[in-house]
């Protein structure tokens, strides 16, 4: 069931949100990463929150999704936020209280209600 849901999201919603993120419109960001098995370049739309110069990602579908496993294996990626591209060279577990604070209200309230507690800090290259 989960696999079918992820396929549906990837082949419908993601196609629309990738376009919005590339254009710097809406709340979406892009994570540009390379497949750990295929070596192909991918773009995955996400909601990211700013935390100083860095970004926080909420792992909606957990740490076993391809984009996160690719980024974790490579130790780096690029994110496109508001039409600007940033190089990421640090991926760390982010405490839930810090992640929720980064998203701010009302997003943090929704994340709390949904019991989301899996966040990652995407650190920008200095």
């Amino acid at each position: 069931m989960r696999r079918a849901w992820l396929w549906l999201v990837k082949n419908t919603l993601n196609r629309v949100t990738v376009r919005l993120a590339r254009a710097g419109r809406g709340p979406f960001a892009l994570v540009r990463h390379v497949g750990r098995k295929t070596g192909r370049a991918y773009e995955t739309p996400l909601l990211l929150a700013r935390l100083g110069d860095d970004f926080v990602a909420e792992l909606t579908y957990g740490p076993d999704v391809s984009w996160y496993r690719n980024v974790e294996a490579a130790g780096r990626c690029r994110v496109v936020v508001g039409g600007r591209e940033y190089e990421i060279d640090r991926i760390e577990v982010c405490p839930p209280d810090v992640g929720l604070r980064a998203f701010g209200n009302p997003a943090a309230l929704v994340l709390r209600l949904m019991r989301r507690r899996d966040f990652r800090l995407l650190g920008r290259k200095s």
Side-chain angles (χ1 to χ4, degrees):
M1 182 67 121
R2 182 170 186 257
R3 189 176 287 254
W5 171 251
L6 291 175
W7 182 90
L8 180 66
V9 168
K10 177 183 173 185
N11 290 288
T12 57
L13 184 62
N14 280 9
R15 291 180 184 198
V16 173
T17 54
V18 164
R19 289 185 187 122
L20 291 171
R22 275 191 200 136
R25 294 201 162 91
F28 299 102
L30 278 182
V31 174
R32 291 183 172 156
H33 54 97
V34 176
R36 65 196 176 286
K37 295 178 183 176
T38 64
R40 289 181 44 200
Y42 294 97
E43 293 181 323
T44 303
L46 293 177
L47 293 173
L48 296 179
R50 286 263 188 182
L51 185 62
D53 288 337
D54 301 326
F55 301 94
V56 174
E58 189 273 322
L59 301 183
T60 303
Y61 303 109
D64 293 328
V65 292
S66 292
W67 79 263
Y68 179 69
R69 291 171 45 198
N70 290 340
V71 169
E72 189 176 47
R76 61 191 165 101
C77 65
R78 293 181 176 271
V79 296
V80 178
V81 179
R84 294 186 58 200
E85 188 171 283
Y86 302 92
E87 191 169 338
I88 302 297
D89 67 354
R90 275 186 350 272
I91 298 95
E92 304 168 2
V93 172
C94 182
D97 59 321
V98 174
L100 289 167
R101 234 178 299 124
F103 276 90
N105 286 322
L109 177 61
V110 172
L111 291 170
R112 276 190 190 91
L113 289 172
M114 294 174 66
R115 301 180 193 270
R116 300 293 186 203
R117 304 192 50 79
D118 207 359
F119 297 90
R120 295 298 183 271
L121 178 70
L122 305 178
R124 285 181 51 192
K125 190 169 187 164
S126 318

